[in-house]
Amino acid sequence: MNKHNTNQNTIPYSEIEDFKKSDLAQFAINNYGYEKDKNGSTKSLTRLEKIDNHSDWMAIQKNKNTQHETFINPNYQSGTIYDLIQQKEGLKFREAHLTHYNNSVLQSSKLEVSKEATTIDAAARKKYLSYEALTDTRYLENRGIEKETLQAAQFQGRVFNKEVTMKSGAKFKNTAFPVYKFNDNNTIGANGTHNGLELHNFNFKGAAVGSVKSGAVWISNPNADKAIERITITESPIDALSKWQLKDKKEAKNELYISTVGPVSEENTKTINRIVKNHPQAQIIDATDNDITGDRYSVQLKNAFGNNQNRITENSVNVKPIIREGLGGISIELNHGKEGAAADVKNIENAYQRAIKNSGVNAANFPISIEQNNANKTTVEIQHPNTRADWKVSNELTTKIVGAENVKSDKAFLKDWTQDSEVSKGVFKNTPDFKLEDIQRGNAPNYINPTNELNKAIKSHLQPLKLNSKAITHDMQM
């Protein structure tokens, strides 16, 4: 049985200790959009800043006695990796462990983690950013990706191997995804040049030394001779491979997949927006993760790529998700002239009331504040509990405020499209049991086909838990 099962009473102590000792700085960089502040860091302390908000920082040190990596931020919030996840995502301890433990950087010694590079010289490119043909597909197949998918024209020239030799002599063949940023001639990925490598392997994820991370994205290989019909945005390249394999392949559209290779940020949405503007006919698909973090990213994508149709605001508007003192919400910045923004504010208040009424959430949980920053700018803030039901309201409201009906959501059934792919192949790591039971009952999307073989695997996976539950109940009765 999967030892990370959500219904188990305990998480192995060794796993908790390993996670607390893992590279907290790299975890924050990979998951929450931070970068290292070189000037503020020392040998014993790592200082990180948010890429798009340098006032959001944290300092990280290792406790000499426990070897746990701990952080503190300007709000005097502190703790281990579990506390950081709980603060950023609103997850409880168990959920934090089950969501992130397997994907954490527990084997960061496999490759030196990237330091931000604004330019890449020829020597560094040859040493660190070269790659080889994709011949070792074991990692990708373990994630549910079929060889047929890797050979599809849609992904040709976009997935490779990268061999790394450690000082000890040990060799690792990682899966490499080249990432791109715009060149001076306003083209992306021209002549095959790339700005970095996103590397994945078993229990490892990171960027190659010399990679440009800020604003860089991974892209697929659509048919250049045809108009692009859809642009699908995922957090991970493997999510894109999985979604195409499970669902989109059958639709046979000329589709461009773009992965943010980590958090959705202001910088990578700028890069994506330059691509989107070249394909105004394309439908935008939000395929970010099916969790609270993905809900926040959905607000960002709507704000970045909404086409302004049927919007309820007249003035220039910018909507951002906010997380403050454990609460979620959105900040709506209206830029206007001397005429003010009274009409826009009224429209926002009315839409806000309708959204709350339609959702059934508690209106008392949604305080709204209005501040006229200066003669030309007014900010409206709406806060709410950091729950998925409440973020659904924020997303509905954002769609109306910026006019983002063109941005369609296509989230996975499970946490992400990769997990959907894994489960369809009978791999159940970190999969909630109630979701597996939904599959058994036929309550999953058609692309997760509950074949006899899959149902047998699910039954075998769940049976030991049921037996253990009966034994526990019997012991209690004794």
Side-chain angles (χ1 to χ4, degrees), residues 323-339:
I323 294 288
R324 189 178 299 132
E325 297 179 352
L327 295 175
I330 53 176
S331 175
I332 307 154
E333 186 180 282
L334 295 161
N335 294 287
H336 50 79
K338 294 181 180 179
E339 68 278 5

Side-chain angles (χ1 to χ4, degrees), residues 98-109:
L98 296 172
T99 302
H100 287 287
Y101 175 75
N102 273 0
N103 294 323
S104 67
V105 188
L106 297 177
Q107 297 185 34
S108 57
S109 60

Side-chain angles (χ1 to χ4, degrees), residues 58-59 71-79 83 87 324-326:
M58 71 174 74
F71 75 94
I72 186 169
N73 65 23
N75 298 320
Y76 298 102
Q77 295 169 313
S78 61
D83 300 292
Q87 178 198 129
R324 189 178 299 132
E325 297 179 352

Side-chain angles (χ1 to χ4, degrees), residues 87-378:
Q87 178 198 129
K88 294 293 185 182
E89 302 181 39
L91 300 179
K92 295 180 181 178
F93 183 91
R94 175 180 297 280
E95 294 171 325
H97 185 90
L98 296 172
T99 302
H100 287 287
Y101 175 75
N102 273 0
N103 294 323
S104 67
V105 188
L106 297 177
Q107 297 185 34
S108 57
S109 60
K110 285 188 178 179
L111 185 74
E112 183 182 350
V113 173
S114 167
K115 307 298 186 293
E116 185 73 17
T118 54
T119 59
I120 306 172
D121 59 37
R125 177 176 291 279
K126 183 176 181 180
K127 180 178 181 180
Y128 297 117
L129 300 186
S130 60
Y131 48 69
E132 58 196 70
L134 182 67
T135 56
D136 188 339
T137 60
R138 287 174 296 174
Y139 167 74
L140 291 170
E141 289 184 68
N142 181 263
R143 303 304 304 271
I145 304 300
E146 300 168 357
K147 287 187 176 180
E148 179 187 356
T149 297
L150 298 172
Q151 294 166 359
Q154 175 69 263
F155 304 110
Q156 287 304 296
R158 295 295 186 262
V159 190
F160 300 93
N161 283 140
K162 169 71 175 178
E163 187 170 87
V164 177
T165 303
M166 305 305 296
K167 292 180 181 179
S168 63
K171 292 185 178 181
F172 299 96
K173 188 163 284 193
N174 296 311
T175 299
F177 299 95
V179 296
Y180 303 88
K181 199 172 180 179
F182 275 93
N183 300 307
D184 292 338
N185 61 355
N186 203 38
T187 59
I188 189 165
N191 301 318
T193 55
H194 56 288
N195 303 85
L197 291 177
E198 175 76 3
L199 301 174
H200 289 216
N201 210 327
F202 297 98
N203 294 321
F204 168 76
K205 181 172 68 174
V209 172
S211 294
V212 172
K213 293 180 289 181
S214 178
V217 298
W218 175 86
I219 57 175
S220 66
N221 184 35
N223 189 334
D225 296 326
K226 295 181 179 179
I228 291 177
E229 299 171 78
R230 281 196 307 222
I231 296 176
T232 293
I233 302 167
T234 67
E235 295 179 38
S236 164
I238 302 180
D239 289 338
L241 295 167
S242 300
K243 188 174 187 299
W244 182 86
Q245 175 178 289
L246 288 171
K247 185 178 180 183
D248 299 341
K249 176 174 63 173
K250 296 177 182 178
E251 299 178 14
K253 290 185 180 293
N254 191 33
E255 190 158 4
L256 171 62
Y257 293 90
I258 304 176
S259 168
T260 59
V261 290
V264 174
S265 68
E266 185 176 345
E267 288 302 312
N268 56 38
T269 53
K270 285 179 182 177
T271 300
I272 298 170
N273 206 24
R274 294 175 75 173
I275 303 171
V276 169
K277 286 180 179 178
N278 291 330
H279 307 284
Q281 76 288 344
Q283 169 76 66
I284 308 298
I285 303 295
D286 167 17
T288 53
D289 288 359
N290 186 20
D291 57 15
I292 285 182
T293 304
D295 293 339
R296 295 203 305 268
Y297 293 161
S298 294
V299 170
Q300 292 173 260
L301 296 182
K302 287 180 169 78
N303 181 65
F305 308 121
N307 61 6
N308 299 319
Q309 292 184 3
N310 301 319
R311 60 186 284 185
I312 62 172
T313 51
E314 294 293 332
N315 291 291
S316 172
V317 63
N318 185 38
V319 181
K320 292 183 178 180
I322 53 175
I323 294 288
R324 189 178 299 132
E325 297 179 352
L327 295 175
I330 53 176
S331 175
I332 307 154
E333 186 180 282
L334 295 161
N335 294 287
H336 50 79
K338 294 181 180 179
E339 68 278 5
D344 282 349
V345 170
K346 187 63 177 176
N347 287 338
I348 290 171
E349 289 179 313
N350 289 338
Y352 151 79
Q353 295 293 345
R354 286 193 299 270
I356 289 177
K357 184 178 179 180
N358 294 337
S359 69
V361 299
N362 188 349
N365 289 336
F366 277 73
I368 183 169
S369 63
I370 302 168
E371 177 184 353
Q372 185 162 347
N373 307 80
N374 54 51
N376 299 314
K377 186 170 78 171
T378 298

Side-chain angles (χ1 to χ4, degrees), residues 2-5 98 102-103 139 142-143 202-203 414 418-419 422-423 426-432 436 461:
N2 187 346
K3 66 180 178 180
H4 303 301
N5 197 291
L98 296 172
N102 273 0
N103 294 323
Y139 167 74
N142 181 263
R143 303 304 304 271
F202 297 98
N203 294 321
L414 300 168
T418 302
Q419 196 171 79
E422 290 173 334
V423 165
V427 179
F428 308 130
K429 56 186 178 185
N430 295 335
T431 309
L436 294 178
H461 173 83

